[in-house]
Every structure is written in C-alpha cells, then in structure tokens.
Amino acid sequence: MSAKQDVTAFGCSVQLVTMYRLLSLQLWKGSLYLADYILNNTKLFSRCTVLDLGAGIGFCSLIAGMYSQLVYATDLNKHEILDLCGENLCRNSHLLKGKVKVREFDWTTGLNYGNGEYEWSNEDVEYLKKVDIIIASDGEVII
C-alpha cells in the first residue's frame, strides 16, 4: 500500500452461519464483488439515486452511500433484517456522502406505504421514480 492511499475502516454485524430462512443476515461473496465494482467506478455513482434490492445487512448500500446522493436499502422485513441493516448503516454513517434510507420491499406484494420506520412515504416514491442505478447481489451473482 502506498502512503497516498486512504484506508477507511468500518464495521458491520453479520451472522456467519444461519438457517436458510435467515440467509439475508450473512455477507455474501456477491456483495463483496459488487462493492469492489462500486469502489472502482465511484464516478458512476457520484450524485446518483441508487436502489439496492435485497440489501440484507446493508453492506453494498453502505459502499454506494459513500459516493451517492441517496440510496434506498431494501429487503423483506423479516427476522430483524431491516433492523440489522439500519444498525450497520448508522454505525458507519460517518462514511456516508448522502442519505441511505432503509425500506421494506417485498417483490410479491409491492411497496408498503405509511409512516412506519421502514414504510415508503410519498416523497420516497417520487425519488424511486427517478432512480439512476439499481444494484443487487445474491450469493455469487451480481445484477
């Protein structure tokens, strides 16, 4: 490592081994690949609105949030996944350039509107219509 490189440390809570229904609580290899892509294409993410589908623990949302104006970290609201995602993002908020919002998104039922912590507001929906980049990583697949 050269003396000119910046090193940024961050921490995320994960579960190393889970039951099948709790897989979103793990950090997947695909997330590492996607994070590497974001870190090597920071200009692409600069000042963008990003939608992270299946954000899980929020790792890729965090990396995108270091360069983007707004990131929606979305996943199912089951087994405290969104709570863990929010905790990880809060723990690393000092690294974020813009806002990262944690929202529930179930592809089978659509958006959950309301004033709850993970529900979509009318303002969120307007931003959602203007998303610049959609990211998703699942296991070893990057979309």
Side-chain angles (χ1 to χ4, degrees):
M1 181 183 326
S2 74
K4 293 182 180 181
Q5 286 181 313
D6 290 331
V7 176
T8 303
F10 56 87
C12 286
S13 295
V14 301
Q15 290 190 6
L16 298 178
V17 178
T18 60
M19 294 180 290
Y20 180 76
R21 64 186 173 88
L22 301 177
L23 291 176
S24 292
L25 298 175
Q26 294 183 19
L27 178 60
W28 288 89
K29 190 185 292 186
S31 296
L32 297 174
Y33 293 138
L34 180 55
D36 184 62
Y37 177 82
I38 295 168
L39 290 169
N40 283 289
N41 294 279
T42 58
K43 288 182 182 179
L44 179 65
F45 287 82
S46 179
R47 296 183 307 237
C48 286
T49 298
V50 177
L51 174 64
D52 186 356
L53 300 174
I57 66 166
F59 181 71
C60 290
S61 295
L62 168 65
I63 301 301
M66 292 169 60
Y67 306 98
S68 303
Q69 181 177 347
L70 176 62
V71 177
Y72 284 99
T74 68
D75 212 318
L76 297 172
N77 193 13
K78 294 183 179 180
H79 312 292
E80 301 177 354
I81 293 167
L82 296 181
D83 291 336
L84 182 60
C85 181
E87 290 168 16
N88 285 331
L89 292 166
C90 184
R91 181 180 296 124
N92 295 285
S93 62
H94 63 285
L95 301 174
L96 300 175
K97 176 183 176 185
K99 276 188 165 180
V100 180
K101 297 182 176 186
V102 179
R103 295 292 181 263
E104 179 180 11
F105 184 46
D106 182 338
W107 301 352
T108 63
T109 61
L111 303 180
N112 189 9
Y113 294 93
N115 295 321
E117 184 176 7
Y118 303 124
E119 294 177 324
W120 294 83
S121 69
N122 290 333
E123 180 184 40
D124 290 332
V125 173
E126 289 305 310
Y127 279 111
L128 194 57
K129 293 176 184 177
K130 301 173 188 174
V131 165
D132 300 297
I133 299 174
I134 299 172
I135 61 174
S137 63
D138 182 9
E140 296 188 29
V141 177
I142 301 171
I143 300 172

